[in-house]
Amino acid sequence: MKTMNNFSDKVIYQIYLKSFKDSNGDGIGDIRGITEQLDYLQALGVDYLWITPFFVSPQNDNGYDVADYRSIDPIFGTMTDLEELIDEAKKRGIELMLDMVFNHTSTSHQWFQKALAGDEKYQNYYIFKDGTPDQPPTNWESKFGGPAWEYVPHLKKWYLHLFDVSQADLNWENPQVREELKEVIRFWKEKGIGGFRFDVVNLISKPEHFENDHIGDGRRFYTDGRHVHEFLKELTADTGLDQYVTVGEMSSTSLDNCIRYSSPAEKELSMCFNFHHLKIDYKDGKKWELMEPDLMRLKGLFETWETGMQEAGGWNALFWCNHDQPRIVSRLGDEGRYWKESAKMLAASVHLMRGTPYIYQGEEIGMTNPHFDDIHQYRDVESLNYYNILLEQGKTSREAMEILQARSRDNGRTPVQWNAGENAGFTEGIPWISLASNYREINVAAQMKESDSIWAFYRKLIRLRKEKPVIAEGQIAFMEKENENVLAYRRILGEEELIVFNNLTGQTTEVCLEDSWKNYRILLTNYEGEESGTEQNLKNVSDDRWTLRPFETLVLEK
Ligand code: TEU
Ligand code: CA
């Protein structure tokens, strides 16, 4: 039986396979590359590796366009390589979590190919609508830009694609589709996979009637759709997924729905990703318009989601970074003077909350955005589409480039910087995407040598979660609510208590101290040379105010 305690002290590490480690010199990260680095991951202390899709795919969306759910794309290796990885990982106490892209398949998938050939059974696997070329069924937009429908002249039908034109949405209303997908889960369970991530799984249930959206891009008609909870319950019950760690990626979702997706009593999923906290620098909610981060909004969202999930028994996935996001140190931290402090502060601020922390490859060494300044350096289909859309909207190429430098998904996809050698030790060939040029300073080898590196700090946070039940299971309550500069909360479990302050800014700032806290010990700070001073406390402080330094994290323990 799944209980929250089975995974509350676990930490999950995300591997974007293409950019993690290349073992054979073709410039593309691969499964054997992960196996080579298992000792590194064990030293860091993570429990699960979420690996982005390695299934056979045309790679139009780097593997999120799956053409065969049961086979490994040869560019990433073989089934034998994967079996070896599973075994070697288990030896180190690490489980694999696979990425199930079940909202859509590649149009190269044989189901779609049969549909195109006229087979009605397989047309019912997708969302085809009769029509004429001049009139798409609705005015919905693809999340990668342009219309969400594509016309197939010889069928006289349109098909729905919420993402790229080569990613056709599956018809979950068709029970045969649901059975096919359950078989995929059973197949990977047999191989010894320990968990699953479900890509945009809150988009799987489309409406009964398709209508135009006059106020948005169509998402309100299919997000957290009418049968999504039933479908997830059925998938979980019929494949025994409640015994596994599962996480759903929830696009533009709501708290109420995420409570249902993740409450143990509902038996849907273990936890949810939501992205509201990563839109606090979107001007008017638009990803492709820049704005300074709204820190009050960030704090408000954390409070709403943390306390809302806690009250109703839901569970959050905690994260800043993934393969779709720019690097957090470049976004909310400081790439210069306070690079190290800000990277550590950002780490502490989410790792000490209630939920399961995710670390995205390279985050643990403070990797930054690459600041590509030539469109030819970009690889991502979304970035390339939007570059053109921005130009069409009248932006200059320089303005469009500035936006990509801040917002492109490729910012998080540059190769992991392993060492100061050629190509940062990622490949002996030509990397499929350029490296960030700072790899001689920022790399794993350098960080592992240094006792108070960002890497060492992440390792400490992972260890603390395992040592201190108050981190894994404690209640959370937010403090300093009116203070724009500081994200602060307390964690409580029985007699155990933590007080956590994070200065989100590059300036000094003050927080309120309660008298009793002055006897608490300092569990953690992120300033050089002070992290091991655990017997210190604030006893001699006479004031009820305390000054935090730029990007300082201060954690007091009762
Ligand atoms: O992403 C879903 C998603 O909606 C966003 O992350 C999206 O890429 C971004 O907001 C667009 O601005 C998932 C995967 O994580 C992503 O890599 C895939 O491209 C996408 O689904 C389609 O499978
Ligand atoms: Ca390779």
Side-chain angles (χ1 to χ4, degrees), residues 75-337:
I75 63 170
F76 296 128
T78 64
M79 195 62 86
T80 313
D81 294 340
L82 182 70
E83 284 159 0
E84 187 191 1
L85 172 60
I86 296 170
D87 285 352
E88 290 298 319
K90 281 191 203 290
K91 281 185 203 159
R92 293 165 177 81
I94 296 174
E95 293 285 337
L96 302 195
M97 180 185 251
L98 294 200
D99 204 327
M100 299 286 110
V101 189
F102 282 177
N103 175 68
H104 42 265
T105 73
S106 165
T107 50
S108 304
H109 195 289
Q110 60 163 344
W111 300 337
F112 195 84
Q113 288 300 313
K114 287 180 181 166
L116 281 186
D119 188 333
E120 265 179 46
K121 172 179 170 191
Y122 289 100
Q123 287 175 3
N124 281 326
Y125 274 38
Y126 296 91
I127 305 187
F128 277 99
K129 299 281 173 203
D130 292 330
T132 51
D134 52 313
Q135 187 62 52
T138 66
N139 64 352
W140 299 359
E141 282 164 41
S142 153
K143 294 189 188 268
F144 291 163
W149 297 94
E150 180 74 5
Y151 193 64
V152 185
H154 74 273
L155 296 177
K156 298 194 171 60
K157 288 178 198 295
W158 294 84
Y159 69 86
L160 179 69
H161 63 90
L162 295 182
F163 293 90
D164 186 53
V165 58
S166 67
Q167 293 165 299
D169 281 60
L170 283 165
N171 175 18
W172 276 68
E173 308 298 318
N174 178 351
Q176 283 176 315
V177 167
R178 305 203 297 274
E179 291 311 313
E180 296 266 18
L181 299 175
K182 287 173 202 167
E183 280 300 313
V184 174
I185 299 286
R186 293 182 190 116
F187 176 86
W188 290 110
K189 274 176 62 180
E190 290 271 294
K191 294 273 178 205
I193 295 302
F196 296 91
R197 178 244 188 205
F198 292 94
D199 191 58
V200 290
V201 75
N202 68 326
L203 309 185
I204 56 177
S205 178
K206 311 303 195 271
E208 193 177 352
H209 303 290
F210 286 74
E211 52 186 299
N212 283 333
D213 192 349
H214 298 295
I215 54 175
D217 63 2
R219 69 182 66 193
R220 67 197 169 105
F221 296 120
Y222 56 74
T223 300
D224 302 316
R226 60 197 169 127
H227 294 137
V228 65
H229 294 285
E230 272 164 69
F231 291 161
L232 284 174
K233 284 186 170 71
E234 181 187 305
L235 182 74
T236 293
D238 291 0
T239 60
L241 271 184
D242 58 339
Q243 304 293 320
Y244 288 71
V245 174
T246 56
V247 56
E249 185 201 27
M250 305 305 177
S251 171
S252 301
T253 189
S254 70
L255 175 61
D256 287 342
N257 277 293
C258 285
I259 288 168
R260 294 174 66 190
Y261 293 133
S262 67
S263 295
E266 299 284 333
K267 291 195 189 296
E268 294 184 14
L269 299 168
S270 311
M271 61 189 117
C272 304
F273 290 113
N274 82 78
F275 296 90
H276 297 290
H277 67 297
L278 295 174
K279 298 182 179 177
I280 50 130
D281 51 6
Y282 288 12
K283 196 172 167 201
D284 305 321
K286 295 191 185 111
K287 172 167 177 173
W288 303 98
E289 296 199 26
L290 303 181
M291 183 182 91
E292 283 300 303
D294 179 344
L295 297 180
M296 271 322 251
R297 192 163 159 69
L298 179 72
K299 281 164 49 95
L301 284 163
F302 277 139
E303 182 180 358
T304 304
W305 281 82
E306 284 285 284
T307 55
M309 290 292 249
Q310 164 169 287
E311 277 160 24
W315 194 254
N316 285 311
L318 305 170
F319 73 108
W320 287 121
C321 300
N322 68 28
H323 63 293
D324 296 332
Q325 296 292 330
R327 294 283 178 181
I328 200 62
V329 71
S330 301
R331 190 172 179 183
L332 293 183
D334 178 1
E335 290 184 352
R337 175 157 175 213

Side-chain angles (χ1 to χ4, degrees), residues 462-478:
I462 297 168
R463 208 183 53 224
L464 283 174
R465 177 167 282 264
K466 301 190 183 312
E467 287 170 4
K468 305 216 174 272
V470 66
I471 298 176
E473 285 156 42
Q475 294 285 107
I476 191 164
F478 284 77

Side-chain angles (χ1 to χ4, degrees), residues 271-530:
M271 61 189 117
C272 304
F273 290 113
N274 82 78
F275 296 90
H276 297 290
H277 67 297
L278 295 174
K279 298 182 179 177
I280 50 130
D281 51 6
Y282 288 12
K283 196 172 167 201
D284 305 321
K286 295 191 185 111
K287 172 167 177 173
W288 303 98
E289 296 199 26
L290 303 181
M291 183 182 91
E292 283 300 303
D294 179 344
L295 297 180
M296 271 322 251
R297 192 163 159 69
L298 179 72
K299 281 164 49 95
L301 284 163
F302 277 139
E303 182 180 358
T304 304
W305 281 82
E306 284 285 284
T307 55
M309 290 292 249
Q310 164 169 287
E311 277 160 24
W315 194 254
N316 285 311
L318 305 170
F319 73 108
W320 287 121
C321 300
N322 68 28
H323 63 293
D324 296 332
Q325 296 292 330
R327 294 283 178 181
I328 200 62
V329 71
S330 301
R331 190 172 179 183
L332 293 183
D334 178 1
E335 290 184 352
R337 175 157 175 213
Y338 296 111
W339 167 68
K340 195 196 264 192
E341 291 79 9
S342 65
K344 291 180 182 177
M345 179 280 292
L346 290 163
S349 61
V350 295
H351 276 250
L352 300 176
M353 285 204 266
R354 176 183 177 279
T356 297
Y358 285 66
I359 301 169
Y360 176 61
Q361 63 184 39
E363 180 187 336
E364 76 278 19
I365 57 164
M367 275 179 64
T368 67
N369 289 347
H371 307 285
F372 290 156
D373 54 12
D374 180 343
I375 190 63
H376 297 108
Q377 291 174 294
Y378 288 91
R379 297 284 176 272
D380 178 26
V381 53
E382 185 197 44
S383 300
L384 299 173
N385 286 348
Y386 268 97
Y387 184 72
N388 290 326
I389 292 171
L390 291 169
L391 294 183
E392 281 160 24
Q393 286 172 357
K395 298 250 182 332
T396 64
S397 53
R398 178 194 287 254
E399 285 165 341
M401 190 55 61
E402 255 168 42
I403 295 175
L404 288 194
Q405 285 176 346
R407 294 291 147 85
S408 170
R409 304 195 298 178
D410 285 336
N411 285 312
R413 298 178 177 185
T414 61
V416 170
Q417 297 164 196
W418 292 102
N419 57 49
E422 200 178 343
N423 293 323
F426 163 69
T427 181
E428 287 174 3
I430 300 163
W432 71 278
I433 188 170
S434 307
L435 289 128
S437 57
N438 56 21
Y439 68 84
R440 285 185 192 80
E441 295 79 50
I442 301 178
N443 61 65
V444 168
Q447 294 268 311
M448 287 182 77
K449 263 189 245 144
E450 216 185 296
S451 65
D452 76 331
S453 63
I454 297 168
W455 188 83
F457 192 80
Y458 270 88
R459 188 163 72 152
K460 183 180 276 180
L461 287 170
I462 297 168
R463 208 183 53 224
L464 283 174
R465 177 167 282 264
K466 301 190 183 312
E467 287 170 4
K468 305 216 174 272
V470 66
I471 298 176
E473 285 156 42
Q475 294 285 107
I476 191 164
F478 284 77
M479 312 183 304
E480 297 284 334
K481 292 190 194 183
E482 305 305 319
N483 182 347
E484 183 184 9
N485 300 332
V486 180
L487 175 69
Y489 47 83
R490 64 207 281 184
R491 303 293 312 277
I492 297 178
L493 184 71
E495 281 303 296
E496 293 176 59
E497 183 179 346
L498 297 184
I499 305 290
V500 182
F501 293 113
N502 296 291
N503 180 357
L504 299 170
T505 77
Q507 284 87 48
T508 58
T509 191
E510 285 192 345
V511 291
C512 297
L513 282 187
E514 282 182 20
D515 258 347
S516 62
W517 301 347
K518 294 178 187 168
N519 295 315
Y520 289 13
R521 64 184 202 125
I522 296 176
L523 178 67
L524 190 69
T525 89
N526 61 337
Y527 265 73
E528 191 137 1
E530 293 176 19

